[in-house]
Amino acid sequence: MVADETAAARLFDVYGPNYQRFADYSPDEIAVLSDWFTRATEIMSTSLDEVRGGSTEGS
């Protein structure tokens, strides 16, 4: 799937400046940060499910 040019341009307008803020990180450092945020998101999602009384089976 390829993004519509207009949509892609809008996304770059919105998120492009964020990429500039991370320009001094190496690709390896970005990979570690991405992994951390992915894991943190999963942990927080599980925690919220527990707080809300949901099931955590299979997590």
Side-chain angles (χ1 to χ4, degrees):
M1 176 181 267
V2 177
D4 173 70
E5 283 187 35
T6 304
R10 180 70 181 130
L11 284 172
F12 184 77
D13 288 344
V14 172
Y15 295 105
N18 290 327
Y19 290 108
Q20 294 303 317
R21 292 181 182 114
F22 293 104
D24 56 341
Y25 286 100
S26 73
D28 288 339
E29 290 170 322
I30 291 172
V32 169
L33 290 169
S34 176
D35 179 63
W36 188 91
F37 281 110
T38 298
R39 291 178 190 211
T41 299
E42 292 169 1
I43 289 167
M44 289 306 300
S45 179
T46 299
S47 178
L48 286 172
D49 286 345
E50 290 171 355
V51 169
R52 292 176 181 148
S55 173
T56 59
E57 288 184 37
S59 296

